[in-house]
Amino acid sequence: QKEVEQNSGPLSVPEGAIASLNCTYSDRVSQSFFWYRQYSGKSPELIMSIYSNGDKEDGRFTAQLNKASQYVSLLIRDSQPSDSATYLCAPTFYNQGGKLIFGQGTELSVKP
Amino acid sequence: DTAVSQTPKYLVTQMGNDKSIKCEQNLGHDTMYWYKQDSKKFLKIMFSYNNKELIINETVPNRFSPKSPDKAHLNLHINSLELGDSAVYFCASSPEGQGAKNIQYFGAGTRLSVL
């Protein structure tokens, strides 16, 4: 089992819809969770971080964390074509030197 | 001003050559990282340094050697380049190497092509 798993997609949603991106992780003591967005040919950029169970909202983005289920998700409301990118889930675990362990990424395509 | 800058942006070289990639951050962060993103877009940690001290050294061939002359710089030297080394290499930095809020900022990447 991979440490971090995401649906590779592509996930296609119409403009204005809600895009739901999911991530599960292996049974280790998790510390923090990050969602990065990566446009084709560009570097990853941080869009959300979440550290405790529950929801965290930032503009059109909502991160949801459930440590008991080893699950973290990212919801994008009112999806725009400019949201089309690969979304990378990256938790960190205790005693791992702070390294990000990336999932394989979910490619999102928002159709006008 | 670019926060995390890498040079060169593109690097095309022959098998067997030795090459270096440089990284500098002006964010005042203590920790810097090197990641490799392969052709399948999978992003994996290679090394991290905290204030010039090696913290993370993943299972990477010893042809790869990081060097940190000061906490604002982390360079990557690669000896005897192989075809499989072709990838995009990203440098990143964070204000702290440990802790719950270890937010990392990435450079633009160096696309290495080994012919």
Side-chain angles (χ1 to χ4, degrees), chain B residues 62-78:
Chain B
N62 57 15
R63 297 182 294 103
F64 290 79
S65 53
K67 285 189 171 51
S68 182
D70 55 63
K71 75 173 192 177
H73 295 83
L74 180 62
N75 304 323
L76 183 65
H77 188 75
I78 315 170

PDB file of all heavy atoms in Angstrom, chain B residues 62-78:
ATOM      1  N   ASN B  62      24.484   7.410  -4.414  1.00  0.00           N
ATOM      2  CA  ASN B  62      25.483   8.327  -3.876  1.00  0.00           C
ATOM      3  C   ASN B  62      26.165   9.153  -4.957  1.00  0.00           C
ATOM      4  O   ASN B  62      27.092   9.925  -4.662  1.00  0.00           O
ATOM      5  CB  ASN B  62      26.513   7.587  -3.006  1.00  0.00           C
ATOM      6  CG  ASN B  62      27.202   6.474  -3.760  1.00  0.00           C
ATOM      7  OD1 ASN B  62      27.139   6.409  -4.988  1.00  0.00           O
ATOM      8  ND2 ASN B  62      27.841   5.585  -3.037  1.00  0.00           N
ATOM      9  N   ARG B  63      25.695   9.032  -6.190  1.00  0.00           N
ATOM     10  CA  ARG B  63      26.137   9.957  -7.242  1.00  0.00           C
ATOM     11  C   ARG B  63      25.543  11.356  -7.004  1.00  0.00           C
ATOM     12  O   ARG B  63      26.016  12.329  -7.581  1.00  0.00           O
ATOM     13  CB  ARG B  63      25.672   9.460  -8.618  1.00  0.00           C
ATOM     14  CG  ARG B  63      26.257   8.109  -9.018  1.00  0.00           C
ATOM     15  CD  ARG B  63      25.804   7.693 -10.405  1.00  0.00           C
ATOM     16  NE  ARG B  63      24.358   7.441 -10.482  1.00  0.00           N
ATOM     17  CZ  ARG B  63      23.480   8.285 -11.010  1.00  0.00           C
ATOM     18  NH1 ARG B  63      23.867   9.441 -11.525  1.00  0.00           N
ATOM     19  NH2 ARG B  63      22.188   7.973 -11.052  1.00  0.00           N
ATOM     20  N   PHE B  64      24.502  11.400  -6.175  1.00  0.00           N
ATOM     21  CA  PHE B  64      23.869  12.679  -5.849  1.00  0.00           C
ATOM     22  C   PHE B  64      24.455  13.177  -4.532  1.00  0.00           C
ATOM     23  O   PHE B  64      24.392  12.468  -3.519  1.00  0.00           O
ATOM     24  CB  PHE B  64      22.356  12.507  -5.683  1.00  0.00           C
ATOM     25  CG  PHE B  64      21.642  12.212  -6.964  1.00  0.00           C
ATOM     26  CD1 PHE B  64      21.643  10.936  -7.514  1.00  0.00           C
ATOM     27  CD2 PHE B  64      20.962  13.215  -7.636  1.00  0.00           C
ATOM     28  CE1 PHE B  64      20.987  10.663  -8.701  1.00  0.00           C
ATOM     29  CE2 PHE B  64      20.291  12.956  -8.823  1.00  0.00           C
ATOM     30  CZ  PHE B  64      20.307  11.677  -9.358  1.00  0.00           C
ATOM     31  N   SER B  65      25.004  14.381  -4.555  1.00  0.00           N
ATOM     32  CA  SER B  65      25.569  14.919  -3.316  1.00  0.00           C
ATOM     33  C   SER B  65      25.102  16.359  -3.126  1.00  0.00           C
ATOM     34  O   SER B  65      25.413  17.239  -3.936  1.00  0.00           O
ATOM     35  CB  SER B  65      27.096  14.840  -3.320  1.00  0.00           C
ATOM     36  OG  SER B  65      27.617  15.449  -4.479  1.00  0.00           O
ATOM     37  N   PRO B  66      24.342  16.601  -2.063  1.00  0.00           N
ATOM     38  CA  PRO B  66      23.920  17.968  -1.752  1.00  0.00           C
ATOM     39  C   PRO B  66      25.025  18.687  -1.003  1.00  0.00           C
ATOM     40  O   PRO B  66      25.819  18.062  -0.294  1.00  0.00           O
ATOM     41  CB  PRO B  66      22.705  17.749  -0.853  1.00  0.00           C
ATOM     42  CG  PRO B  66      22.981  16.440  -0.185  1.00  0.00           C
ATOM     43  CD  PRO B  66      23.809  15.624  -1.115  1.00  0.00           C
ATOM     44  N   LYS B  67      25.027  20.005  -1.154  1.00  0.00           N
ATOM     45  CA  LYS B  67      25.986  20.812  -0.406  1.00  0.00           C
ATOM     46  C   LYS B  67      25.303  22.104   0.003  1.00  0.00           C
ATOM     47  O   LYS B  67      24.691  22.782  -0.830  1.00  0.00           O
ATOM     48  CB  LYS B  67      27.232  21.112  -1.240  1.00  0.00           C
ATOM     49  CG  LYS B  67      28.180  19.927  -1.378  1.00  0.00           C
ATOM     50  CD  LYS B  67      29.480  20.282  -2.013  1.00  0.00           C
ATOM     51  CE  LYS B  67      30.476  19.144  -1.930  1.00  0.00           C
ATOM     52  NZ  LYS B  67      29.962  17.867  -2.404  1.00  0.00           N
ATOM     53  N   SER B  68      25.450  22.458   1.270  1.00  0.00           N
ATOM     54  CA  SER B  68      24.833  23.668   1.788  1.00  0.00           C
ATOM     55  C   SER B  68      25.911  24.567   2.386  1.00  0.00           C
ATOM     56  O   SER B  68      26.299  24.383   3.541  1.00  0.00           O
ATOM     57  CB  SER B  68      23.788  23.315   2.849  1.00  0.00           C
ATOM     58  OG  SER B  68      23.152  24.476   3.331  1.00  0.00           O
ATOM     59  N   PRO B  69      26.397  25.537   1.632  1.00  0.00           N
ATOM     60  CA  PRO B  69      27.447  26.421   2.156  1.00  0.00           C
ATOM     61  C   PRO B  69      26.949  27.349   3.256  1.00  0.00           C
ATOM     62  O   PRO B  69      27.723  27.761   4.118  1.00  0.00           O
ATOM     63  CB  PRO B  69      27.887  27.212   0.917  1.00  0.00           C
ATOM     64  CG  PRO B  69      26.731  27.127  -0.024  1.00  0.00           C
ATOM     65  CD  PRO B  69      26.055  25.826   0.236  1.00  0.00           C
ATOM     66  N   ASP B  70      25.675  27.681   3.216  1.00  0.00           N
ATOM     67  CA  ASP B  70      25.037  28.460   4.263  1.00  0.00           C
ATOM     68  C   ASP B  70      23.550  28.167   4.204  1.00  0.00           C
ATOM     69  O   ASP B  70      23.089  27.501   3.272  1.00  0.00           O
ATOM     70  CB  ASP B  70      25.312  29.970   4.119  1.00  0.00           C
ATOM     71  CG  ASP B  70      24.920  30.494   2.759  1.00  0.00           C
ATOM     72  OD1 ASP B  70      23.708  30.434   2.433  1.00  0.00           O
ATOM     73  OD2 ASP B  70      25.809  30.948   2.005  1.00  0.00           O
ATOM     74  N   LYS B  71      22.786  28.670   5.159  1.00  0.00           N
ATOM     75  CA  LYS B  71      21.393  28.214   5.230  1.00  0.00           C
ATOM     76  C   LYS B  71      20.523  28.776   4.114  1.00  0.00           C
ATOM     77  O   LYS B  71      19.403  28.326   3.938  1.00  0.00           O
ATOM     78  CB  LYS B  71      20.797  28.532   6.607  1.00  0.00           C
ATOM     79  CG  LYS B  71      20.446  29.980   6.851  1.00  0.00           C
ATOM     80  CD  LYS B  71      19.720  30.113   8.182  1.00  0.00           C
ATOM     81  CE  LYS B  71      19.090  31.482   8.330  1.00  0.00           C
ATOM     82  NZ  LYS B  71      18.315  31.596   9.591  1.00  0.00           N
ATOM     83  N   ALA B  72      21.032  29.713   3.350  1.00  0.00           N
ATOM     84  CA  ALA B  72      20.262  30.269   2.242  1.00  0.00           C
ATOM     85  C   ALA B  72      20.517  29.543   0.923  1.00  0.00           C
ATOM     86  O   ALA B  72      19.862  29.839  -0.072  1.00  0.00           O
ATOM     87  CB  ALA B  72      20.579  31.751   2.080  1.00  0.00           C
ATOM     88  N   HIS B  73      21.468  28.622   0.927  1.00  0.00           N
ATOM     89  CA  HIS B  73      21.843  27.938  -0.315  1.00  0.00           C
ATOM     90  C   HIS B  73      21.879  26.429  -0.112  1.00  0.00           C
ATOM     91  O   HIS B  73      22.388  25.938   0.908  1.00  0.00           O
ATOM     92  CB  HIS B  73      23.225  28.397  -0.795  1.00  0.00           C
ATOM     93  CG  HIS B  73      23.276  29.846  -1.185  1.00  0.00           C
ATOM     94  ND1 HIS B  73      23.452  30.858  -0.258  1.00  0.00           N
ATOM     95  CD2 HIS B  73      23.143  30.452  -2.398  1.00  0.00           C
ATOM     96  CE1 HIS B  73      23.448  32.022  -0.889  1.00  0.00           C
ATOM     97  NE2 HIS B  73      23.261  31.813  -2.180  1.00  0.00           N
ATOM     98  N   LEU B  74      21.346  25.719  -1.097  1.00  0.00           N
ATOM     99  CA  LEU B  74      21.461  24.264  -1.115  1.00  0.00           C
ATOM    100  C   LEU B  74      21.647  23.840  -2.563  1.00  0.00           C
ATOM    101  O   LEU B  74      20.747  24.002  -3.379  1.00  0.00           O
ATOM    102  CB  LEU B  74      20.222  23.587  -0.518  1.00  0.00           C
ATOM    103  CG  LEU B  74      20.270  22.051  -0.510  1.00  0.00           C
ATOM    104  CD1 LEU B  74      21.429  21.560   0.354  1.00  0.00           C
ATOM    105  CD2 LEU B  74      18.950  21.479   0.005  1.00  0.00           C
ATOM    106  N   ASN B  75      22.840  23.345  -2.850  1.00  0.00           N
ATOM    107  CA  ASN B  75      23.170  22.940  -4.216  1.00  0.00           C
ATOM    108  C   ASN B  75      23.120  21.426  -4.328  1.00  0.00           C
ATOM    109  O   ASN B  75      23.259  20.699  -3.331  1.00  0.00           O
ATOM    110  CB  ASN B  75      24.550  23.465  -4.594  1.00  0.00           C
ATOM    111  CG  ASN B  75      24.640  24.976  -4.437  1.00  0.00           C
ATOM    112  OD1 ASN B  75      23.676  25.700  -4.714  1.00  0.00           O
ATOM    113  ND2 ASN B  75      25.773  25.469  -3.965  1.00  0.00           N
ATOM    114  N   LEU B  76      22.909  20.953  -5.546  1.00  0.00           N
ATOM    115  CA  LEU B  76      22.850  19.517  -5.797  1.00  0.00           C
ATOM    116  C   LEU B  76      23.837  19.177  -6.898  1.00  0.00           C
ATOM    117  O   LEU B  76      23.740  19.705  -8.017  1.00  0.00           O
ATOM    118  CB  LEU B  76      21.431  19.113  -6.217  1.00  0.00           C
ATOM    119  CG  LEU B  76      21.189  17.615  -6.450  1.00  0.00           C
ATOM    120  CD1 LEU B  76      21.355  16.843  -5.144  1.00  0.00           C
ATOM    121  CD2 LEU B  76      19.794  17.389  -7.019  1.00  0.00           C
ATOM    122  N   HIS B  77      24.788  18.332  -6.574  1.00  0.00           N
ATOM    123  CA  HIS B  77      25.773  17.901  -7.560  1.00  0.00           C
ATOM    124  C   HIS B  77      25.482  16.455  -7.943  1.00  0.00           C
ATOM    125  O   HIS B  77      25.215  15.615  -7.054  1.00  0.00           O
ATOM    126  CB  HIS B  77      27.188  18.025  -6.995  1.00  0.00           C
ATOM    127  CG  HIS B  77      28.238  17.781  -8.020  1.00  0.00           C
ATOM    128  ND1 HIS B  77      28.565  18.703  -8.992  1.00  0.00           N
ATOM    129  CD2 HIS B  77      29.016  16.693  -8.250  1.00  0.00           C
ATOM    130  CE1 HIS B  77      29.513  18.209  -9.780  1.00  0.00           C
ATOM    131  NE2 HIS B  77      29.804  17.000  -9.351  1.00  0.00           N
ATOM    132  N   ILE B  78      25.517  16.181  -9.228  1.00  0.00           N
ATOM    133  CA  ILE B  78      25.237  14.829  -9.705  1.00  0.00           C
ATOM    134  C   ILE B  78      26.413  14.347 -10.545  1.00  0.00           C
ATOM    135  O   ILE B  78      26.782  14.988 -11.541  1.00  0.00           O
ATOM    136  CB  ILE B  78      23.953  14.768 -10.559  1.00  0.00           C
ATOM    137  CG1 ILE B  78      22.819  15.568  -9.909  1.00  0.00           C
ATOM    138  CG2 ILE B  78      23.530  13.313 -10.759  1.00  0.00           C
ATOM    139  CD1 ILE B  78      21.597  15.749 -10.788  1.00  0.00           C
TER     140      ILE B  78
END
